[in-house]
Amino acid sequence: MEQYNPEYSRQWRVHRTLCQMLRDRSYVVEDTLMDLELSEFVEKFESIDMAEDVKLIRRDDLTLRVVHESNADDVMFVFFSEETKVGVPQLQVLMRRLVSDGAKKAIIIIRETITPFAKKVLLSLPSTIIVEQFQETELLVNITRHVLVPQHILLEEHEKKMLLEKYHLKDTQLPRIQKSDPVARYYGLLRGQVVKIVRPSETAGRYVTYRLVV
């Protein structure tokens, strides 16, 4: 078996989890990307740096643009930062790309850290623009595939309304899940949304709870 640069394996694992995450959010991701083995990933993305005369996989080449399967206006960009530290200049490039495409959602994959000034820029964005950030280390494995993590299903707005009417509740009376929860972040859950959580049960077969994202 061919031995690859450990960095290639890291990039492949992050890219694989990212594609799974996008599909779990109901974005259209090509099967050819979902099913890439490490060797296929390297073959597809490896290039040669002519200046340094070395082979590498540029993170810029991993950029993705995906569309939601039920809403063509819901476009998500995914940017892999080439720099170890994301600063304001990188965010400016990202925002120009979003504006030129008319998109309002993006995910930045950060190699190590993001500067305090860049964090302030993200916090100052209008509420109509959503920019999420994940460190590469957070995506080396897909946490939702772990046997101890129950199934999470986001309710549509009409399903949320039916649930509250059925049990004569206000949404604030539901148990809560933090927006910063790792699984909530994986699914891109927003405050005010309700998620259905299904756990296996030895007596009932399955145990269902609902949580409000706060």
Side-chain angles (χ1 to χ4, degrees), residues 47-88:
S47 60
I48 299 177
D49 185 327
M50 301 303 292
E52 300 291 336
D53 193 27
V54 294
K55 293 182 178 180
L56 76 168
I57 293 178
R58 292 186 176 86
R59 283 170 170 78
D60 287 345
D61 294 336
L62 302 179
T63 295
L64 287 171
R65 179 188 186 276
V66 292
V67 178
H68 198 277
E69 62 184 24
S70 62
N71 182 3
D73 294 326
D74 185 351
V75 178
M76 173 75 79
F77 270 104
V78 181
F79 295 88
F80 290 77
S81 172
E82 202 70 64
E83 308 296 330
T84 56
K85 182 181 293 186
V86 172
V88 174

Side-chain angles (χ1 to χ4, degrees), residues 79 89-102:
F79 295 88
Q90 288 77 30
L91 290 185
Q92 290 174 334
V93 172
L94 164 62
M95 296 312 300
R96 285 196 294 269
R97 180 71 179 273
L98 289 182
V99 170
S100 66
D101 195 84

Side-chain angles (χ1 to χ4, degrees), residues 140-201:
L140 289 173
V141 296
N142 187 335
I143 59 172
T144 67
R145 301 296 196 265
H146 194 283
V147 66
L148 295 180
V149 177
Q151 183 182 16
H152 288 61
I153 304 169
L154 174 64
L155 296 190
E156 299 290 343
E157 195 59 34
H158 72 277
E159 293 174 318
K160 172 184 173 181
K161 182 179 179 181
M162 290 174 59
L163 172 72
L164 297 177
E165 289 177 349
K166 178 179 179 180
Y167 294 104
H168 306 288
L169 295 172
K170 296 180 180 179
D171 58 2
T172 53
Q173 294 176 290
L174 292 171
R176 300 179 178 185
I177 181 173
Q178 296 291 325
K179 184 174 178 287
S180 58
D181 179 273
V183 176
R185 291 182 63 225
Y186 177 91
Y187 287 106
L189 302 183
L190 302 174
R191 289 185 178 88
Q193 292 182 322
V194 173
V195 62
K196 176 181 178 180
I197 301 176
V198 183
R199 293 181 171 87
S201 168

